[in-house]
Amino acid sequence: MTALSTASNFASPDDAYRAIVEAHRGLSDDQSAALDTALVLILANHIGDAAVLGDAIALAKRRLPNVRDEK
């Protein structure tokens, strides 16, 4: 099992962020949400490790305001 990596793996993190932001340019809210969903599923498949995916989901939820951890 691989541990969730939270350190930046990009040579240029700003370029990666910019690419994601630009991918949403001109999309409606529904299209933007659909793009995010597709991107998450594609990257989750690339990870291919349910434990790492679970760790990533938990970390992402902790970063949302007013979301309780339901353990």
Side-chain angles (χ1 to χ4, degrees):
M1 177 173 84
T2 304
L4 177 65
S5 172
T6 58
S8 178
N9 291 316
F10 289 100
S12 179
D14 289 343
D15 289 345
Y17 177 80
R18 194 172 301 112
I20 293 169
V21 170
E22 288 298 320
H24 288 85
R25 188 175 306 282
L27 300 180
S28 69
D29 288 347
D30 287 344
Q31 290 170 322
S32 185
L35 174 65
D36 285 343
T37 299
L39 185 57
V40 165
L41 292 172
I42 290 165
L43 294 173
N45 183 65
H46 178 75
I47 292 167
D49 185 318
V52 172
L53 179 60
D55 289 346
I57 290 168
L59 178 60
K61 287 180 87 171
R62 284 195 304 271
R63 292 181 176 187
L64 295 174
N66 302 316
V67 174
R68 293 182 327 170
D69 190 14
E70 298 182 20
K71 288 187 176 186

